[in-house]
Amino acid sequence: MSPRVVDHRITVPLDHDDPDGTTLEVFAREITAADGADRPWLVYLQGGPGHESPRPTLEPLAPSWLERALVDFRVLLLDQRGTGLSTPYGTGTRPRPLDPAAEAAYLTHFRADAIVRDAEALREHLGVRRWSVLGQSFGGFCVLHYRSRFPDSLRETYVTGGLPPVGRPPTEVYAATHAALRRLEAAHHRRHPEDADRLRAVLELAGAGDLRRTDGSPLTSRLVRTVGNQLGLHGGSDALHHLLERDPRSPAFVPDLEALLPFGGRNPLYAVVHESCYADGGVTGWAAERTLPDEDHLTGEHVFGWHFDDDPALVPYAATARLLAEHDWPRLYDADALAVVDLPGAAVVYVDDPFVERRFSEETLALLPGVAGWIDDTHLHNGLRVDGPSILDRLVRLARERA
């Protein structure tokens, strides 16, 4: 028998502190083991920001970690606000041209704090006293805010590759991620030395205006360089190599390149609010751009102001993104509160992670009594999706040993 699937939709305030104002719909998909046993809840918080939860398949069961999760849990896959089947954000769903100031104000309610309030609304709607949460990447940022703000709603917490820095400015975060990506780029070229010349040829084509998107617009060299994002993902170095071994004038090259770029029109929220997820208070001010050491290397999950000029799908959001870059964001984490929350949990930190700096993750881990840490040097940032059953199994065992 296949697992049972039930869909849930609730209406929540855009601003949870203004319950009578604008509202949004939030969607979540519940998956229960085929035996029907009553198991505790596990909420999955997807990476991003701006990406929906994975779409499960039942035969075979996917994502890979889901089968292991259903042994112990009833799983809830949450589409974070603005994504998936929750009220979506983007040009297809809101009238254009937008008032950039109004749009920026709207998007100030799309960070981890609002997502956690949505999860709390779902918990109350479902009549659940306490549940466990699993956060991948940005989902881990949400988990840390959850521990900081609503610890009494949680049984235990699990984080894979997403322990955010607490109290550090985004400039420090992005300087560290630039350095990490340089190391991964050097490792890639040691593994595939022929790719250096191939990449140079592609960049020359782009610089001359001879590399065109499928819609006919130019692919700038600085956009091409963002394909370095792949080097932070498990299997991404191979994906980049397989791209570069193609003739850049072949019909497959540009579509394959576009598919590997981190930001674009399918998930505009990912680009528009990306830097804000690192703002534990203060103004981001295009931190990734200000800390870029030079322009001769690959970049990755670093959003720059020019993204909203070079990518036609992001141009409509340019004025809004620039206003958000100057917004003074509130704090997301309370270090004092975290230090007294003795709640069981486990977190895996990836060694060569260009998205979440290992050193900062370990600093955060030290703030969390009850959370067991695991340093993994065999996977990159999306390890949960690659080797989900064994990683999740170890996280569950570590948390329960600590409890």
Side-chain angles (χ1 to χ4, degrees):
M1 293 177 60
S2 297
R4 185 172 66 96
V5 178
V6 178
D7 293 346
H8 300 280
R9 288 178 171 85
I10 63 169
T11 299
V12 299
L14 170 68
D15 179 355
H16 282 275
D17 292 328
D18 181 17
D20 297 324
T22 302
T23 60
L24 303 170
E25 189 171 73
V26 170
F27 171 86
R29 180 163 281 146
E30 172 191 348
I31 305 177
T32 309
D35 62 14
D38 186 18
R39 294 175 172 85
W41 291 79
L42 175 70
V43 181
Y44 179 70
L45 296 168
Q46 170 67 24
H51 292 293
E52 66 265 36
S53 210
R55 271 39 198 161
T57 60
L58 302 183
E59 295 181 4
L61 192 60
S64 61
W65 56 267
L66 189 55
E67 183 174 6
R68 171 61 186 86
L70 291 176
V71 172
D72 287 328
F73 301 103
R74 175 193 304 261
V75 174
L76 191 69
L77 302 174
L78 172 65
D79 279 355
Q80 297 166 16
R81 53 172 53 199
T83 75
L85 297 182
S86 295
T87 300
Y89 174 78
T91 56
T93 59
R94 294 175 64 74
R96 299 289 163 177
L98 294 171
D99 175 347
E103 190 76 352
Y106 178 82
L107 290 175
T108 60
H109 302 292
F110 280 74
R111 292 203 307 164
D113 45 3
I115 292 166
V116 167
R117 296 284 291 271
D118 292 344
E120 279 292 277
L122 264 169
R123 184 186 60 78
E124 294 173 3
H125 171 77
L126 295 170
V128 181
R129 170 64 187 88
R130 298 166 69 217
W131 56 17
S132 303
V133 290
L134 166 62
Q136 159 70 14
S137 188
F138 169 73
F141 293 30
C142 298
V143 170
L144 194 69
H145 182 79
Y146 219 147
R147 287 184 69 102
S148 182
R149 181 74 189 275
F150 299 105
D152 291 341
S153 299
L154 302 174
R155 295 177 68 247
E156 57 201 357
T157 62
Y158 305 103
V159 174
T160 57
L163 279 176
V166 174
R168 286 189 174 271
T171 48
E172 290 188 15
V173 175
Y174 280 111
T177 61
H178 283 309
L181 193 58
R182 295 288 189 275
R183 295 193 295 272
L184 290 173
E185 183 181 1
H188 175 87
H189 288 309
R190 287 194 298 271
R191 189 178 305 113
H192 302 292
E194 65 277 23
D195 281 0
D197 288 339
R198 292 169 174 171
L199 177 60
R200 191 175 301 111
V202 172
L203 290 170
E204 287 175 358
L205 277 176
D210 293 332
L211 198 65
R212 296 272 166 175
R213 288 179 174 272
T214 50
D215 66 4
S217 61
L219 262 168
T220 63
S221 57
R222 56 191 182 184
L223 266 179
V224 172
R225 289 185 188 278
T226 66
V227 78
N229 180 72
Q230 291 296 314
L231 299 179
L233 305 176
H234 207 73
S237 177
D238 289 334
L240 178 57
H241 172 65
H242 294 152
L243 171 74
L244 292 174
E245 67 182 358
R246 290 185 181 276
D247 182 339
R249 299 187 185 275
S250 69
F253 183 84
V254 166
D256 287 357
L257 171 60
E258 289 182 295
L260 298 182
L261 299 178
F263 303 109
R266 187 200 183 278
N267 298 94
L269 196 59
Y270 182 39
V272 179
V273 303
H274 190 271
E275 277 203 352
S276 71
C277 76
Y278 286 113
D280 189 17
V283 174
T284 62
W286 300 116
E289 194 166 315
R290 290 187 288 121
T291 56
L292 182 66
D294 57 68
E295 297 182 353
D296 295 330
H297 292 274
L298 297 179
T299 60
E301 197 182 39
H302 307 99
V303 66
F304 303 103
W306 53 254
H307 266 104
F308 300 92
D309 301 319
D310 289 19
D311 188 331
L314 295 178
V315 167
Y317 309 96
T320 298
R322 290 178 177 122
L323 287 172
L324 290 174
E326 300 304 320
H327 183 72
D328 191 2
W329 297 98
R331 295 291 301 270
L332 283 169
Y333 316 112
D334 184 333
D336 293 335
L338 289 168
V340 298
V341 175
D342 192 8
L343 179 71
V348 56
V349 175
Y350 301 117
V351 170
D352 292 316
D353 191 335
F355 308 120
V356 185
E357 166 66 25
R358 172 186 173 177
R359 175 167 51 95
F360 299 159
S361 294
E362 290 179 316
E363 287 178 357
T364 300
L365 186 62
L367 294 174
L368 308 176
V371 177
W374 164 29
I375 308 300
D376 188 326
D377 62 358
T378 62
H379 294 87
L380 287 174
H381 191 76
N382 63 342
L384 180 68
R385 296 198 293 275
V386 175
D387 192 20
S390 64
I391 288 178
L392 181 57
D393 186 69
R394 184 168 181 180
L395 289 171
V396 170
R397 286 190 288 107
L398 284 173
R400 292 181 180 175
E401 288 169 6
R402 185 61 64 94

